[in-house]
Amino acid sequence: MSTAKRITMGVMAAGVLAIVVAGCAPEEEEAVARDTLTIAIGAEPESLDPVQMTSAPAATVGEHAVERLIYMEEDGELTPMLATSWDSNEEGTEWTFRLREGVEFHDGEPFNAEAVKVNLDRFLDPDVGAVYAFLLGSVQEVEVVGEYEVRLHLEEPFAPILSHLSHSFIGMISPAQIEDSYLDDVGSPVGTGPYEMVSWDRGDRIEMTINDNYWGDTPQIENLRFTFISEDSARIVALETGEADAIMAVPPTDAVRLEGNDDIDVTYQTSVRQIYVGFNVNHEPFDNKTVRQALNYAVDKEIIVDTIFEGNAFVADAPIVDAVFGHTSVGPYEYDPDRAREMLAEAGYADGFEVTLYHPTGRYPQDSTVAEIVQDQLADVGVDLTLETMEWSSYLDYLYLPEDESDYRMYVLGWGTVTLDADYGLFALFHGEQGAPAGNNISYYRNDEVDVLLEQARINTEPAAREALYGEAIELIWDDASWLFLYNEGQINASHRSVEGLIHHPLENLSAWDAYFVD
Amino acid sequence: MYQYIARRLFLTIPVVLGVSIIVFAIIRMLPGDPARAMAGPQASPQYIESVRARYGLDQPIAVQYVTFMRRAAQGDFGISVFSRRPVITEISERFPRTLLLASISLVIATAVGVPAGIISATKRNSIFDNVSMVVALIGVAAPVFWLALMLQLLFAVHLSWFPSTGIGTPMHLVLPSVTLGAASAGLFARITRSSMLEVLREDYVTTARAKGLTENVVVYKHALKSAMIPVVTVMGLQFGILLGGAVLTETVFAWPGIGRLLVDSILRRDYPVVQATVMMLAFLFVLINLVVDILYAFLDPRIQYQGGGGE
C-alpha cells in the first residue's frame, strides 16, 4: 500500500460517519414544522401538578393546559377566566364567584363549583403540603353555593385573595384525576386549558395538542412543544437553526447579538423581582435615616443597569416593580454623591465609616458584580465596605436570625412579588410585626403609620382605595429608606419573526395560546 | 476463574459502602440548612419544618444513613425533592440514554482511534503518523465545551446537517457522540500507537517476520493481540468516564442523560438524587474495572487467576 493510499484510508475512517449521515440530512422535518410551535425553556418544570409547582418554567408550561378562576393580564389587571364574575360581602370575609358554564376538563369531566372545591381543598390540605398554600392562607372554607357558584370564607378580610387566586399555581384540574392521586403528583395534569397534555419525556420535552373543545377562542397553532435546554448558548443555537421558534431567558450579552439578526425578534420585559441592599436599622449607623438616605444618593443605579445588564434591568422607583398592583412611582434617589457626602456629614459621619456588606454569589444574575459596584461607589463618599459572600443556605440562616441576635449591617437580597399584588411585596418585608425569622422583614424596619396602611390595604375590598393606601405606604417606606433601592430584574425572550402573538408576562411566563405563524 | 470473579464481586461491597458513606457525609457537611435550601428563599418557617420532617433531616446523621441504606438495599432510593418522583424512576429513565450515548461514543472512538494508532505505529514518522498524532493531541486537549459549540455552529447552524440539541432521531446522536468520543479517540490512538511500537520490537515479532510472514499477518495476527492489552484497560476506564463524565456534553446538547440529571440535581440541592446517582456511578465504575480485569485473562495468557489453570 502506498503512503497516499493509507492517508486516504485514514481520512475515510475519520470522516466516514459524517459523510454517511450527511447524505440523509433531515430536510423533511422542516416542512411539517408549521403546525407545531416549539418553545425552548432553560429549566424543566419540577412538576405540573398545581400543588407541587414552584417555578416560572412550570407555570409557563402548565398555564397552557390548566386554567385558574381569574387571569392576571401583563399590566396587573384581573380578568375573568373560569370565574365570570365575583364580589364580596361588606366586611370582605366572604367572596362569591360565579363560574363559567359548559366548560369541560380534557377528560370530559364537567367544570363546576364542586370541582373548584375539590381543587382548593386539596391545595389547603396540610397533608398534601402544597408549597404555595400560603396563597390561600386566609381561606377557612370553600362552600359550594350552587352548581356554578362557589364561596370562599376567609378568617379575616384579605383583599389580595383575588390576585392570589389568579396565580398560575392555583389551577383547576379534573376531580377524577385528583381522586386518583390526591396525595401524589398527578404527572400530566388534566385541565380545561386551550391545549391538552400529550406527553412528557422527562429531561427532554413536553408535548401538547389543541383542545378542540375549548370554551374560549381556539388557538391557531395545532401543537405546542416545550423543550428544556439549560445551556444558554445551546438555546440560542436552537433558535438560530429554527429548531425552536421561541426561547426564554436570553443572557443580555447574547440579546445584543441577536438584535442584529433580521429573522429574530428580541423582547425585553420586566420581571417581578427587585434586588436591593438591606440595612439593619437596629444598628449604628443605619439606625439613622439620614445615613440610609445618603447611601441611596451615593449609588448610581443607572450604571449598574447599563453596564452590567446591558439595559435589561430597570432602576427601582418603588420597593416593588411597576407591574405589581399597588405600585406607585416615588423614586429613584437621583445619583448625587455631593449631596450624599453632605448628608453623611450632617449625620455626624463626615469621615465616613466602615461596614461589611454581605451578599450571595450566583444566586441572582451578576449579584457579586453588583456588590462590587456598590462597594466602589460608596468608597467615593467615604463609606468603606468589606465584601463578604456566603453559600446561599448559610446566608439565609445568617440573615433570618431573631432581632436580638442579628449583627449584620448590610446585605444584598432580592424579592419577587410573585402574586403581582403589593401586599405580598410589602407586608412581609416592611410590616413591623414581620421581623425575621417569622417574617421576611430582615431590616427590622418599623413605622407604625406604614403598618396601619398595609393592614388597611389588606382588608379594603375597593381596588382604587387599596391603590391609594399602597401609594401612601410606598412613599413612607421610600422616605424611610430601610433599603438601598437598586433595580428590578428584567427578562429577555427571543422568537422568530414568523411567530406573532406571544405573550411575555412579567411573571416570566411565555404564553402561546394567541400565537400564530406569519410568512 | 469463577472464584476470582466471585471474590472480586464480593470486594466491591466495601468499596460501594465506603463511597456511600463519603457521599452521604459530604452532602450533609455542606454549610447551611438543606431543608431551607430545598424549600427556597420565600418559604415559610412552617413549610421548611415540614420539608425537614418529610426528608428525615431532623434525625441524627447515623440514623439517616442506616434508614437510607436499608431502603436502598430494597431498591428504594427515596423521593426526588425536585420532581417528587421516586429517585429510582428518575435514574432508570435517564440512564439508558447515557448508556446509548457513551456506547456510541466508545464505538466511534474505537473505530477511529485504534486503526489510526495501528497505522501510525506501522508507518512511524510518516505524514500520516505525524498528522494523526497531532489531531489526536488536539482531540485529547480540546475542551469538550468548546468542541461542542464549534460542532453545533458548523454542522447545525451553518450546514444544517444535524439537529443542534435534543433527542429523538439517530441524527440527534451524531454531534454529542462525536464530541464525547473525540477525546477518547485521541487517547486510544496514542495508546495504540505506543503499545504497538513496543510489541513490534518484541522477539516473537522478529521471529514471525523471519519466518517470512507478510507484514499484514505479523501486525494484525501476531502483534495486535498483545498490543491491545493496555488499550482495553484504557477503553474500560474510559467507558466508565464516558458514563459519568458526559456532563458537559449532555448539558450543551440538552441530552437528558444521567450526567445532566446529576448536575441539575446538585444545583437544585436535590440530595436524594445526587446521593443515588453518585453511588450508582461508583458502583458501575467498580463493575467495569472488574470486567476489564477479567478480559485480561482472555487477551493475555500470561495472566493466571488462582484456581484457574491447575498447573
Side-chain angles (χ1 to χ4, degrees), chain A residues 33-52:
Chain A
R34 292 285 90 171
D35 65 350
T36 302
L37 181 81
T38 303
I39 298 175
I41 54 183
E44 179 168 17
E46 59 285 346
S47 165
L48 292 179
D49 188 332
V51 301
Q52 313 277 19

Side-chain angles (χ1 to χ4, degrees), chain A residues 6 21 26 44 46 52 131 201-205 229 233-234 237 241 243 363 391 393-394 396-397 416 424, chain B residues 31-33 36 41-42 47 82-85 93-94 97 123 149 156 161 163-165 167 171 252 256 269:
Chain A
R6 287 216 178 106
V21 209
E44 179 168 17
E46 59 285 346
Q52 313 277 19
V131 183
D201 191 355
R202 301 279 168 164
D204 184 44
R205 66 175 69 180
I229 306 179
S233 57
V237 164
T241 60
E243 288 164 82
R363 179 68 199 187
E391 188 275 331
S393 52
S394 326
L396 291 181
D397 284 346
Y424 187 67
Chain B
D33 177 354
R36 183 187 281 286
Q42 301 193 350
Y47 182 71
F82 176 72
S83 70
R84 305 218 185 167
R85 302 161 78 228
E93 276 174 3
R94 303 298 187 92
R97 290 169 179 159
K123 276 280 159 189
L149 289 175
W161 286 1
S164 65
T165 47
I167 56 168
M171 303 297 289
V252 179
R269 301 183 167 274

Side-chain angles (χ1 to χ4, degrees), chain B residues 31-32 93 95 100 113 119 122 143 163 168 215 272:
Chain B
E93 276 174 3
F95 185 66
L100 175 68
I119 297 171
T122 51
E215 190 63 18

Side-chain angles (χ1 to χ4, degrees), chain B residues 85-160:
Chain B
R85 302 161 78 228
V87 172
I88 196 76
T89 313
E90 294 278 351
I91 292 180
S92 56
E93 276 174 3
R94 303 298 187 92
F95 185 66
R97 290 169 179 159
T98 296
L99 192 63
L100 175 68
L101 184 60
S103 308
I104 301 284
S105 304
L106 193 72
V107 168
I108 292 177
T110 310
V112 175
V114 172
I118 295 171
I119 297 171
S120 289
T122 51
K123 276 280 159 189
R124 200 176 167 197
N125 295 330
S126 67
I127 300 171
F128 180 91
D129 182 24
N130 290 329
V131 170
S132 70
M133 284 307 112
V134 169
V135 171
L137 192 64
I138 292 172
V140 174
V144 169
F145 215 78
W146 176 84
L147 184 62
L149 289 175
M150 289 304 118
L151 289 177
Q152 268 181 347
L153 276 182
L154 182 59
F155 292 104
V157 177
H158 290 296
L159 297 173
S160 306

Side-chain angles (χ1 to χ4, degrees), chain A residues 81-307:
Chain A
M81 202 166 207
L82 288 175
T84 51
S85 65
W86 49 85
D87 49 46
S88 82
N89 65 351
E90 193 84 20
E91 302 80 53
T93 51
E94 287 175 16
W95 288 83
T96 309
F97 298 85
R98 274 157 298 280
L99 308 177
R100 201 172 289 283
E101 299 182 21
V103 176
E104 281 183 1
F105 289 99
H106 300 146
D107 60 1
E109 290 270 319
F111 170 76
N112 53 29
E114 193 57 47
V116 174
K117 180 174 168 57
V118 169
N119 270 284
L120 295 184
D121 281 351
R122 179 172 181 243
F123 215 91
L124 289 165
D125 188 341
D127 290 339
V128 173
V131 183
Y132 273 69
F134 72 86
L135 287 173
L136 300 178
S138 57
V139 176
Q140 220 160 24
E141 197 206 332
V142 183
E143 181 196 352
V144 175
V145 181
E147 165 109 51
Y148 294 106
E149 196 167 304
V150 68
R151 187 170 295 144
L152 304 189
H153 296 267
L154 311 186
E155 269 168 55
E156 49 189 359
F158 187 69
I161 188 70
L162 292 179
S163 317
H164 287 205
L165 283 170
S166 80
H167 198 281
S168 329
F169 300 158
I170 314 287
M172 298 293 141
I173 59 173
S174 166
Q177 190 172 31
I178 289 181
E179 202 173 316
D180 284 346
S181 36
Y182 183 80
L183 287 176
D184 302 325
D185 195 300
V186 300
S188 289
V190 176
T192 57
Y195 287 95
E196 54 183 89
M197 293 285 295
V198 174
S199 62
W200 182 349
D201 191 355
R202 301 279 168 164
D204 184 44
R205 66 175 69 180
I206 288 172
E207 308 250 15
M208 293 189 189
T209 191
I210 204 163
N211 171 13
D212 291 320
N213 200 16
Y214 187 53
W215 58 266
D217 295 332
T218 315
Q220 298 189 40
I221 297 174
E222 189 71 24
N223 304 303
L224 275 188
R225 179 186 296 149
F226 297 92
T227 58
F228 323 129
I229 306 179
S230 56
E231 176 53 33
D232 291 336
S233 57
R235 210 159 50 245
I236 290 164
V237 164
L239 180 70
E240 287 178 320
T241 60
E243 288 164 82
D245 299 300
I247 60 173
M248 299 185 74
V250 179
T253 44
D254 291 292
V256 175
R257 185 171 62 82
L258 284 178
E259 294 262 15
N261 186 331
D262 285 341
D263 296 329
I264 287 168
D265 283 323
V266 182
T267 309
Y268 298 85
Q269 172 65 285
T270 175
S271 84
V272 292
R273 196 196 279 145
Q274 181 166 111
I275 305 295
Y276 61 93
V277 175
F279 301 119
N280 186 336
V281 302
N282 282 339
H283 291 296
E284 267 190 81
F286 299 122
D287 51 354
N288 186 333
K289 177 164 135 183
T290 313
V291 173
R292 302 195 299 260
Q293 287 179 336
L295 264 52
N296 266 289
Y297 284 115
V299 172
D300 187 353
K301 278 78 69 178
E302 296 283 349
I303 289 274
I304 295 177
V305 166
D306 290 343
T307 58

